[in-house]
Amino acid sequence: MKFGKILEIVKENNIVIPMYLYKMFPKLEINLETFLFLMYLNGKGQFIIFDIKRLSEEFFCDIKKVMEYISTLQDKKLIELKVVKNDKNIIEEYISLDLFYEKVSMNIIEELNNEKEDTTNIFEILESELGKQLSPIEYEIVKAWKNSNYSDEIIKEAIKEAVYNGVANLRYIDKILYEWAKKNIKTKEDVEKNKRQFREKEKSKKVDVFDYDWMEDGND
């Protein structure tokens, strides 16, 4: 058998899963087999002729399984069966993915709204604590924090630390985030745990306990 023919066989009937849909899989509340069948349908287009025998052959499973997949997807309101007339005025039954695409669209809109809301909150908090509007450069610094995978939660904690220590500026906050990243501090709980460890360490030295300042503990 020629190499070209082997490649044709390997590439035949591929099921392509866009990364976004792969990430969205848990929200669909269906098992992996049903998800793969949905991705197979997605690859065929928005409307698919309801030919159960052909679907089973192309998806390499028996007719009973295909009917189970379709039933589950209908129950989850991800697909629906529609009866329409084709160009020859013949009535045919189609599988419509409109409901699935609507769900994907709503999920994208929700994520964009949440991202916008979270970002706005960070900027508003900073401007409130700094007592001034952020400059374009400061705005880019905050965006860089988010692009560096600092969560909104940890950024807010860093702002609180800076304000508590009386040094409310972006350079100081950036230093806090950098030091916390080195210590793998990623959540509010991690911050509190680090503070407790610092206080316990100070007590063990039998010295006066001062208010916690993370900068004193930055070289551990």
Side-chain angles (χ1 to χ4, degrees):
M1 183 180 291
K2 293 183 178 181
F3 183 72
K5 184 63 177 178
I6 295 175
L7 285 180
E8 288 180 12
I9 294 173
V10 172
K11 294 179 179 179
E12 185 180 22
N13 296 327
N14 286 340
I15 297 177
V16 179
I17 304 177
M19 184 57 67
Y20 182 83
L21 297 183
Y22 174 76
K23 293 179 180 178
M24 190 178 169
F25 164 56
K27 295 184 179 181
L28 300 178
E29 298 180 343
I30 56 179
N31 62 33
L32 182 58
E33 287 184 15
T34 308
F35 176 70
L36 289 175
F37 182 74
L38 178 60
M39 292 301 95
Y40 154 72
L41 294 178
N42 180 59
K44 293 181 70 65
Q46 189 171 358
F47 296 98
I48 304 102
I49 296 177
F50 184 60
D51 184 338
I52 194 68
K53 185 174 182 297
R54 182 178 178 182
L55 293 174
S56 66
E57 289 175 350
E58 291 185 356
F59 196 64
F60 300 103
C61 69
D62 57 47
I63 291 176
K64 182 180 178 181
K65 268 291 184 182
V66 172
M67 292 302 298
E68 288 178 4
Y69 298 145
I70 291 174
S71 178
T72 299
L73 293 172
Q74 283 182 290
D75 291 342
K76 295 296 182 179
K77 299 189 184 305
L78 294 171
I79 66 170
E80 59 182 338
L81 299 181
K82 291 184 176 182
V83 177
V84 297
K85 289 183 179 181
N86 62 20
D87 296 338
K88 298 180 180 179
N89 207 33
I90 298 175
I91 294 178
E92 290 183 320
E93 194 169 15
Y94 285 83
I95 299 174
S96 169
L97 271 66
D98 281 347
L99 294 176
F100 172 59
Y101 295 143
E102 287 176 12
K103 190 176 186 70
V104 172
S105 297
M106 292 302 296
N107 193 70
I108 292 174
I109 292 171
E110 181 180 347
E111 288 183 356
L112 290 174
N113 287 339
N114 289 339
E115 181 179 342
K116 181 178 179 181
E117 181 179 350
D118 291 341
T119 303
T120 301
N121 285 340
I122 292 296
F123 292 147
E124 288 178 351
I125 291 171
L126 275 169
E127 290 181 341
S128 175
E129 297 297 345
L130 298 177
K132 69 181 184 68
Q133 187 174 357
L134 295 179
S135 69
I137 293 178
E138 290 172 327
Y139 184 88
E140 290 302 319
I141 291 174
V142 178
K143 286 178 63 177
W145 291 343
K146 298 178 74 65
N147 291 336
S148 298
N149 294 323
Y150 291 129
S151 68
D152 286 353
E153 178 185 23
I154 204 66
I155 293 173
K156 289 176 183 178
E157 288 301 309
I159 295 170
K160 286 165 62 176
E161 283 296 314
V163 172
Y164 180 79
N165 291 319
V167 193
N169 63 62
L170 264 64
R171 185 175 180 182
Y172 188 73
I173 295 169
D174 188 68
K175 180 65 175 177
I176 293 175
L177 291 171
Y178 175 74
E179 293 294 336
W180 282 354
K182 288 200 302 183
K183 295 183 178 182
N184 201 34
I185 296 174
K186 298 180 178 180
T187 66
K188 181 178 180 180
E189 288 72 22
D190 292 339
V191 173
E192 295 301 324
K193 180 181 178 181
N194 191 59
K195 286 182 179 181
R196 288 195 301 271
Q197 290 175 341
F198 176 79
R199 292 190 180 106
E200 289 169 3
K201 180 180 176 182
E202 291 299 298
K203 286 180 181 179
S204 68
K205 294 179 180 179
K206 295 182 179 181
V207 297
D208 292 336
V209 178
F210 297 93
D211 287 336
Y212 177 82
D213 185 343
W214 71 269
M215 293 295 287
E216 296 294 327
D217 192 34
N219 297 318
D220 288 352

